[in-house]
Amino acid sequence: MTSRGARITTIVPIILVGLLLYDAATKPGWDLAREIGFVLGVVFLSLLAIARYQLGDAFSIAPEARTLVTTGLYSKIRNPVYVFGLLGIFGMLLYAHLYPALAVFAFIIPMQVMRARAEARVLEARFGDDYRAYRAKTWF
């Protein structure tokens, strides 16, 4: 991972985990929503950082087919950045009791599915049978 953008998008979830840990250690008053949100946030933001690291410079905002990453987390899930990002953000919102903001997920989830489909088309066009074989043995 050499590009500045790749480093930044890997560091951000690590910083968010650190902020969650700091906040949890300094704020009293836990309830079930906060506990569940904390666990979801820490686990999935950590997995997001790992997924971003494993993706390396293959990461891009617009779908590009630089390389087909099929190892690590990508050996089981085709789009761990989308999945773990959504679940991590969901956890943080739950932890912070920002329930109205959870309604945003009604819009974000379909957008992420559309992004994943667009990305799949680009990867299939570039990598053909290799991508189709990869897609057949992975989830989302």
Side-chain angles (χ1 to χ4, degrees):
M1 175 182 331
T2 58
S3 77
R4 182 172 184 242
R7 286 191 303 270
I8 289 171
T9 57
T10 302
I11 292 169
V12 167
I14 295 169
I15 292 169
L16 291 175
V17 167
L19 290 172
L20 267 174
L21 292 172
Y22 174 79
D23 191 70
T26 59
K27 277 192 181 171
W30 288 77
D31 60 11
L32 184 60
R34 189 169 184 210
E35 291 170 1
I36 292 170
F38 177 79
V39 171
L40 290 174
V42 169
V43 168
F44 288 110
L45 289 172
S46 297
L47 287 170
L48 173 60
I50 293 167
R52 273 296 304 113
Y53 178 79
Q54 291 175 347
L55 189 57
D57 283 334
F59 176 81
S60 64
I61 300 298
E64 293 180 23
R66 297 177 189 163
T67 185
L68 183 59
V69 178
T70 61
T71 58
L73 294 170
Y74 291 85
S75 69
K76 303 293 180 201
I77 304 173
R78 287 186 307 279
N79 299 288
V81 169
Y82 299 154
V83 173
F84 299 150
L86 283 171
L87 291 170
I89 291 168
F90 178 82
M92 288 186 66
L93 294 174
L94 192 60
Y95 172 84
H97 295 139
L98 295 173
Y99 303 122
L102 291 173
V104 172
F105 276 73
F107 299 101
I108 293 176
I109 292 171
M111 288 177 19
Q112 294 295 63
V113 170
M114 289 187 304
R115 286 183 66 194
R117 288 181 180 162
E119 183 179 294
R121 287 190 295 274
V122 170
L123 291 168
E124 187 170 0
R126 168 82 193 282
F127 299 107
D129 288 338
D130 288 340
Y131 180 74
R132 286 186 283 279
Y134 167 67
R135 186 178 61 207
K137 62 182 179 180
T138 55
W139 176 76
F140 185 72

